[in-house]
Amino acid sequence: MYAVAGRVKDEDIALVRDRTSIVEVISETVTLRSAGGGNLKGLCPFHDEKTPSFNVSPARNVYFCHGCGQGGDAIKFLMDAEHLSFIESVERLAGKAGIQLRYDTEPGAPAGPRPQTGQRQRLIAAHAAAVEFYRDQLGSPGARKAREFLAERGFGRDTAERYGCGFAPDSWDSLSKHLRLKGFTAEELTTAGLAKPARSGSLIDRFRRRLLWPIRDLGGDVIGFGARKLFDDDDGPKYLNTPETPIYKKSHVLYGIDHAKREIAKRGRAVIVEGYTDVMACHEAGEPTAVATCGTAFGVDHIQVLRRLLMDSDSFTGEIIYTFDGDAAGQKAALRAFEEDQRFVGRTFIAVSPDNMDPCELRLARGDLAVRDMIAAREPLVDFALRQTISRFDLDTVEGRVEAMRRAAPLVAKIKDREKRPEYARKLAGDLGMDLDPVQRAVNNALRGEQAEPRSTRQQAAADSPQRLVEREALKLALQEPVLAGPMFDAVGPENYGDQVLQTVREAITHAGGAASSTGGVVWIEKVRDACPDMGGQMLVSELAVEPLYVDGQADPYYVQVTLARLQGGALATRIRDLKSKVQRLNPVANKDQYLALAGELFSLEQQARALRDQAAGGL
């Protein structure tokens, strides 16, 4: 542990304030624009807002937010924005200004430099030393595989150095020993996520035999690493990231943001890609606004970071462009992104790469221009979401068109720009081959549904056909009570579901391993969601996961048996009805053999239906 430090001399603090430009400090986090009178404004980093109320006065070197009341100088901004202590904030600004701080010590002791810094600065320093160590290792004989990996993706030595790429050697503790010799403690290395305790009580490095990318915050400080597996006998995950630490929060981190922030603000757009090499490829191809998440999905906290850089407000709308592979997984990721679309005031787009190539592969195969062309050919995210939703239905049938309309109308209703909703309703009607009136009614109903109180379970039941209600109930049991319903549910196949979207969810449960394989909970729900091929199915999974069961008290095996029996019975009833119609249209004399075969099949189905009715006695 460190000794308690003395207080920074008042004249040094005054010198730090005098030599620090508050505009430069705040611009690391917030895009500022002219507010008139020599002042600047931007979106407040301390609360969520759509209209800029965060004001900066360069002349007085202070800031104030009229929305939340936060205000102060550059030191106070760092304390609040990055959760630093007063001393840590002063030290960081002093370091950037080249000021050697002096500290008041015990009475009679000479004033001199502070013997140590705060925790954050120590962790930052440890990461800076680790970057140098790993970067040097990239040139070693043992790192040949890492150099080949980069070269095969079109990145030479200069590019690797520009992005700080490194290599973790084939050693259990080489980094730990190196950093310990530089004065870092075992506790610091563990807290930083650079090492972890071994059973013997010593330290082992977090990363070993991997290609590394340093992950930086908005200010350019390295706060963590992303590590890529290179060797087949490495039984770890393909990508391994720094764990959560006092300075590394994966839900707030965007790889490449330090390189991209100024271009994002300048061009008014940000390109979201999926991997470290994709960020490098986009930047090298002439699209320097690309960033990527680090080991987590693009979420609310990432959006807040970009909104402040884009100054995404009612008066200024930037662009968010998602790039995803053209395969099924990439399309699912794009549809998931649509769910967060409303958090941006600006416009959101998707750029799907051709032939299932990511930006790095596209650049390697077709050059820099192909990457820029892919981004230029972006389409509005809502267009993509609508097309993917209706593509799951047979639009040659009345049932398919109506069901597609029901699933797509809520997406139109969610479009934040009200003036665009009528045009998208008209477009949806044209895509479906339907009149505008029923489509517009469906959109209006979706809008009213969002504003009205949620319907009760019985009201929802009345809105559905009896068989559809049973199908929903069976899926709810599989999602909410997989341990109870698993074996019985899995034995009843998707062919028993007449509703196309419900059938899609049933198939997704199979693709997710079956209900019997699950212990339930949010992980199971997400697994089924991810197995759904379209947004309609994904949204329905979320809906069914929280919709109450139609049973008083707890569900039991008997209730599961009754529900599944009714499910099969309803499906059989449909088949029997269709078969009877076919038999009635046959001439029993002219088509004797076919008539007898169908009559026998009909008799068998009616026997099965009778048995299922006996099982289903008791009702929902």
Side-chain angles (χ1 to χ4, degrees), residues 276-298:
Y276 305 120
T277 56
D278 294 330
V279 171
M280 295 170 67
C282 285
H283 284 233
E284 294 301 301
E287 185 49 64
T289 65
V291 293
T293 59
C294 303
T296 187
F298 187 78

PDB file of all heavy atoms in Angstrom, residues 276-298:
ATOM      1  N   TYR A 276     -11.998  -6.092 -33.932  1.00  0.00           N
ATOM      2  CA  TYR A 276     -10.827  -5.214 -33.938  1.00  0.00           C
ATOM      3  C   TYR A 276     -10.259  -5.048 -35.344  1.00  0.00           C
ATOM      4  O   TYR A 276      -9.925  -3.929 -35.757  1.00  0.00           O
ATOM      5  CB  TYR A 276      -9.751  -5.791 -33.012  1.00  0.00           C
ATOM      6  CG  TYR A 276     -10.231  -6.041 -31.602  1.00  0.00           C
ATOM      7  CD1 TYR A 276     -10.194  -7.321 -31.044  1.00  0.00           C
ATOM      8  CD2 TYR A 276     -10.726  -5.003 -30.818  1.00  0.00           C
ATOM      9  CE1 TYR A 276     -10.644  -7.556 -29.753  1.00  0.00           C
ATOM     10  CE2 TYR A 276     -11.172  -5.234 -29.520  1.00  0.00           C
ATOM     11  CZ  TYR A 276     -11.130  -6.512 -28.995  1.00  0.00           C
ATOM     12  OH  TYR A 276     -11.579  -6.741 -27.721  1.00  0.00           O
ATOM     13  N   THR A 277     -10.126  -6.156 -36.084  1.00  0.00           N
ATOM     14  CA  THR A 277      -9.568  -6.047 -37.437  1.00  0.00           C
ATOM     15  C   THR A 277     -10.515  -5.306 -38.372  1.00  0.00           C
ATOM     16  O   THR A 277     -10.064  -4.678 -39.333  1.00  0.00           O
ATOM     17  CB  THR A 277      -9.253  -7.435 -38.020  1.00  0.00           C
ATOM     18  OG1 THR A 277     -10.435  -8.245 -37.999  1.00  0.00           O
ATOM     19  CG2 THR A 277      -8.151  -8.119 -37.223  1.00  0.00           C
ATOM     20  N   ASP A 278     -11.827  -5.358 -38.091  1.00  0.00           N
ATOM     21  CA  ASP A 278     -12.779  -4.598 -38.906  1.00  0.00           C
ATOM     22  C   ASP A 278     -12.582  -3.098 -38.698  1.00  0.00           C
ATOM     23  O   ASP A 278     -12.693  -2.307 -39.641  1.00  0.00           O
ATOM     24  CB  ASP A 278     -14.214  -4.991 -38.556  1.00  0.00           C
ATOM     25  CG  ASP A 278     -14.540  -6.420 -38.934  1.00  0.00           C
ATOM     26  OD1 ASP A 278     -13.952  -6.909 -39.911  1.00  0.00           O
ATOM     27  OD2 ASP A 278     -15.374  -7.045 -38.245  1.00  0.00           O
ATOM     28  N   VAL A 279     -12.328  -2.699 -37.447  1.00  0.00           N
ATOM     29  CA  VAL A 279     -12.042  -1.286 -37.176  1.00  0.00           C
ATOM     30  C   VAL A 279     -10.791  -0.858 -37.930  1.00  0.00           C
ATOM     31  O   VAL A 279     -10.774   0.170 -38.623  1.00  0.00           O
ATOM     32  CB  VAL A 279     -11.852  -1.048 -35.661  1.00  0.00           C
ATOM     33  CG1 VAL A 279     -11.329   0.376 -35.405  1.00  0.00           C
ATOM     34  CG2 VAL A 279     -13.156  -1.254 -34.916  1.00  0.00           C
ATOM     35  N   MET A 280      -9.737  -1.661 -37.830  1.00  0.00           N
ATOM     36  CA  MET A 280      -8.491  -1.337 -38.532  1.00  0.00           C
ATOM     37  C   MET A 280      -8.713  -1.248 -40.036  1.00  0.00           C
ATOM     38  O   MET A 280      -8.226  -0.318 -40.702  1.00  0.00           O
ATOM     39  CB  MET A 280      -7.432  -2.391 -38.206  1.00  0.00           C
ATOM     40  CG  MET A 280      -7.007  -2.423 -36.747  1.00  0.00           C
ATOM     41  SD  MET A 280      -5.965  -3.862 -36.347  1.00  0.00           S
ATOM     42  CE  MET A 280      -4.484  -3.512 -37.295  1.00  0.00           C
ATOM     43  N   ALA A 281      -9.459  -2.201 -40.589  1.00  0.00           N
ATOM     44  CA  ALA A 281      -9.692  -2.230 -42.034  1.00  0.00           C
ATOM     45  C   ALA A 281     -10.445  -0.990 -42.494  1.00  0.00           C
ATOM     46  O   ALA A 281     -10.106  -0.390 -43.527  1.00  0.00           O
ATOM     47  CB  ALA A 281     -10.458  -3.496 -42.411  1.00  0.00           C
ATOM     48  N   CYS A 282     -11.482  -0.603 -41.750  1.00  0.00           N
ATOM     49  CA  CYS A 282     -12.253   0.576 -42.131  1.00  0.00           C
ATOM     50  C   CYS A 282     -11.391   1.832 -42.080  1.00  0.00           C
ATOM     51  O   CYS A 282     -11.427   2.663 -42.998  1.00  0.00           O
ATOM     52  CB  CYS A 282     -13.468   0.726 -41.216  1.00  0.00           C
ATOM     53  SG  CYS A 282     -14.805  -0.440 -41.549  1.00  0.00           S
ATOM     54  N   HIS A 283     -10.622   1.979 -41.015  1.00  0.00           N
ATOM     55  CA  HIS A 283      -9.770   3.161 -40.898  1.00  0.00           C
ATOM     56  C   HIS A 283      -8.734   3.199 -42.026  1.00  0.00           C
ATOM     57  O   HIS A 283      -8.497   4.257 -42.619  1.00  0.00           O
ATOM     58  CB  HIS A 283      -9.068   3.167 -39.537  1.00  0.00           C
ATOM     59  CG  HIS A 283      -9.973   3.559 -38.406  1.00  0.00           C
ATOM     60  ND1 HIS A 283      -9.663   4.566 -37.512  1.00  0.00           N
ATOM     61  CD2 HIS A 283     -11.184   3.091 -38.017  1.00  0.00           C
ATOM     62  CE1 HIS A 283     -10.644   4.698 -36.630  1.00  0.00           C
ATOM     63  NE2 HIS A 283     -11.577   3.796 -36.914  1.00  0.00           N
ATOM     64  N   GLU A 284      -8.117   2.053 -42.312  1.00  0.00           N
ATOM     65  CA  GLU A 284      -7.110   2.008 -43.366  1.00  0.00           C
ATOM     66  C   GLU A 284      -7.728   2.226 -44.749  1.00  0.00           C
ATOM     67  O   GLU A 284      -7.066   2.692 -45.664  1.00  0.00           O
ATOM     68  CB  GLU A 284      -6.387   0.661 -43.329  1.00  0.00           C
ATOM     69  CG  GLU A 284      -5.546   0.434 -42.075  1.00  0.00           C
ATOM     70  CD  GLU A 284      -4.470   1.477 -41.902  1.00  0.00           C
ATOM     71  OE1 GLU A 284      -3.619   1.612 -42.797  1.00  0.00           O
ATOM     72  OE2 GLU A 284      -4.485   2.187 -40.868  1.00  0.00           O
ATOM     73  N   ALA A 285      -9.025   1.886 -44.874  1.00  0.00           N
ATOM     74  CA  ALA A 285      -9.701   2.032 -46.168  1.00  0.00           C
ATOM     75  C   ALA A 285     -10.263   3.436 -46.380  1.00  0.00           C
ATOM     76  O   ALA A 285     -10.849   3.712 -47.426  1.00  0.00           O
ATOM     77  CB  ALA A 285     -10.829   1.008 -46.285  1.00  0.00           C
ATOM     78  N   GLY A 286     -10.107   4.319 -45.395  1.00  0.00           N
ATOM     79  CA  GLY A 286     -10.595   5.682 -45.554  1.00  0.00           C
ATOM     80  C   GLY A 286     -11.922   5.949 -44.900  1.00  0.00           C
ATOM     81  O   GLY A 286     -12.602   6.926 -45.245  1.00  0.00           O
ATOM     82  N   GLU A 287     -12.320   5.100 -43.932  1.00  0.00           N
ATOM     83  CA  GLU A 287     -13.534   5.333 -43.158  1.00  0.00           C
ATOM     84  C   GLU A 287     -13.126   5.381 -41.680  1.00  0.00           C
ATOM     85  O   GLU A 287     -13.283   4.417 -40.947  1.00  0.00           O
ATOM     86  CB  GLU A 287     -14.568   4.227 -43.407  1.00  0.00           C
ATOM     87  CG  GLU A 287     -15.904   4.462 -42.716  1.00  0.00           C
ATOM     88  CD  GLU A 287     -16.467   5.852 -42.952  1.00  0.00           C
ATOM     89  OE1 GLU A 287     -16.773   6.195 -44.111  1.00  0.00           O
ATOM     90  OE2 GLU A 287     -16.600   6.597 -41.960  1.00  0.00           O
ATOM     91  N   PRO A 288     -12.587   6.534 -41.228  1.00  0.00           N
ATOM     92  CA  PRO A 288     -12.005   6.624 -39.888  1.00  0.00           C
ATOM     93  C   PRO A 288     -13.006   6.845 -38.768  1.00  0.00           C
ATOM     94  O   PRO A 288     -12.618   7.254 -37.675  1.00  0.00           O
ATOM     95  CB  PRO A 288     -11.066   7.832 -40.024  1.00  0.00           C
ATOM     96  CG  PRO A 288     -11.747   8.712 -41.016  1.00  0.00           C
ATOM     97  CD  PRO A 288     -12.427   7.783 -41.994  1.00  0.00           C
ATOM     98  N   THR A 289     -14.280   6.576 -39.022  1.00  0.00           N
ATOM     99  CA  THR A 289     -15.294   6.742 -37.974  1.00  0.00           C
ATOM    100  C   THR A 289     -15.726   5.403 -37.376  1.00  0.00           C
ATOM    101  O   THR A 289     -16.671   5.345 -36.611  1.00  0.00           O
ATOM    102  CB  THR A 289     -16.544   7.450 -38.527  1.00  0.00           C
ATOM    103  OG1 THR A 289     -17.165   6.607 -39.511  1.00  0.00           O
ATOM    104  CG2 THR A 289     -16.185   8.783 -39.158  1.00  0.00           C
ATOM    105  N   ALA A 290     -15.028   4.317 -37.730  1.00  0.00           N
ATOM    106  CA  ALA A 290     -15.433   2.975 -37.291  1.00  0.00           C
ATOM    107  C   ALA A 290     -14.995   2.700 -35.862  1.00  0.00           C
ATOM    108  O   ALA A 290     -13.877   3.028 -35.460  1.00  0.00           O
ATOM    109  CB  ALA A 290     -14.859   1.918 -38.226  1.00  0.00           C
ATOM    110  N   VAL A 291     -15.890   2.060 -35.098  1.00  0.00           N
ATOM    111  CA  VAL A 291     -15.605   1.615 -33.731  1.00  0.00           C
ATOM    112  C   VAL A 291     -16.265   0.252 -33.541  1.00  0.00           C
ATOM    113  O   VAL A 291     -17.139  -0.149 -34.303  1.00  0.00           O
ATOM    114  CB  VAL A 291     -16.133   2.605 -32.671  1.00  0.00           C
ATOM    115  CG1 VAL A 291     -15.384   3.925 -32.726  1.00  0.00           C
ATOM    116  CG2 VAL A 291     -17.640   2.831 -32.836  1.00  0.00           C
ATOM    117  N   ALA A 292     -15.842  -0.456 -32.492  1.00  0.00           N
ATOM    118  CA  ALA A 292     -16.412  -1.773 -32.206  1.00  0.00           C
ATOM    119  C   ALA A 292     -16.542  -1.950 -30.707  1.00  0.00           C
ATOM    120  O   ALA A 292     -15.780  -1.371 -29.923  1.00  0.00           O
ATOM    121  CB  ALA A 292     -15.531  -2.889 -32.787  1.00  0.00           C
ATOM    122  N   THR A 293     -17.510  -2.754 -30.294  1.00  0.00           N
ATOM    123  CA  THR A 293     -17.630  -3.089 -28.879  1.00  0.00           C
ATOM    124  C   THR A 293     -16.570  -4.126 -28.521  1.00  0.00           C
ATOM    125  O   THR A 293     -15.957  -4.732 -29.397  1.00  0.00           O
ATOM    126  CB  THR A 293     -19.027  -3.653 -28.559  1.00  0.00           C
ATOM    127  OG1 THR A 293     -19.252  -4.833 -29.348  1.00  0.00           O
ATOM    128  CG2 THR A 293     -20.107  -2.635 -28.863  1.00  0.00           C
ATOM    129  N   CYS A 294     -16.363  -4.313 -27.234  1.00  0.00           N
ATOM    130  CA  CYS A 294     -15.303  -5.198 -26.749  1.00  0.00           C
ATOM    131  C   CYS A 294     -15.891  -6.306 -25.888  1.00  0.00           C
ATOM    132  O   CYS A 294     -16.052  -6.148 -24.679  1.00  0.00           O
ATOM    133  CB  CYS A 294     -14.265  -4.403 -25.959  1.00  0.00           C
ATOM    134  SG  CYS A 294     -13.509  -3.053 -26.888  1.00  0.00           S
ATOM    135  N   GLY A 295     -16.260  -7.398 -26.525  1.00  0.00           N
ATOM    136  CA  GLY A 295     -16.732  -8.552 -25.779  1.00  0.00           C
ATOM    137  C   GLY A 295     -18.149  -8.447 -25.267  1.00  0.00           C
ATOM    138  O   GLY A 295     -18.555  -9.196 -24.384  1.00  0.00           O
ATOM    139  N   THR A 296     -18.946  -7.536 -25.806  1.00  0.00           N
ATOM    140  CA  THR A 296     -20.335  -7.397 -25.376  1.00  0.00           C
ATOM    141  C   THR A 296     -21.144  -6.800 -26.513  1.00  0.00           C
ATOM    142  O   THR A 296     -20.585  -6.257 -27.471  1.00  0.00           O
ATOM    143  CB  THR A 296     -20.444  -6.498 -24.126  1.00  0.00           C
ATOM    144  OG1 THR A 296     -21.787  -6.508 -23.643  1.00  0.00           O
ATOM    145  CG2 THR A 296     -20.039  -5.063 -24.442  1.00  0.00           C
ATOM    146  N   ALA A 297     -22.460  -6.899 -26.419  1.00  0.00           N
ATOM    147  CA  ALA A 297     -23.325  -6.348 -27.459  1.00  0.00           C
ATOM    148  C   ALA A 297     -23.366  -4.820 -27.372  1.00  0.00           C
ATOM    149  O   ALA A 297     -23.142  -4.237 -26.317  1.00  0.00           O
ATOM    150  CB  ALA A 297     -24.741  -6.921 -27.315  1.00  0.00           C
ATOM    151  N   PHE A 298     -23.650  -4.184 -28.494  1.00  0.00           N
ATOM    152  CA  PHE A 298     -23.801  -2.734 -28.543  1.00  0.00           C
ATOM    153  C   PHE A 298     -25.036  -2.357 -27.739  1.00  0.00           C
ATOM    154  O   PHE A 298     -26.141  -2.826 -28.005  1.00  0.00           O
ATOM    155  CB  PHE A 298     -23.947  -2.288 -29.995  1.00  0.00           C
ATOM    156  CG  PHE A 298     -23.948  -0.796 -30.181  1.00  0.00           C
ATOM    157  CD1 PHE A 298     -22.754  -0.096 -30.150  1.00  0.00           C
ATOM    158  CD2 PHE A 298     -25.119  -0.109 -30.387  1.00  0.00           C
ATOM    159  CE1 PHE A 298     -22.742   1.281 -30.331  1.00  0.00           C
ATOM    160  CE2 PHE A 298     -25.124   1.249 -30.566  1.00  0.00           C
ATOM    161  CZ  PHE A 298     -23.930   1.964 -30.536  1.00  0.00           C
TER     162      PHE A 298
END
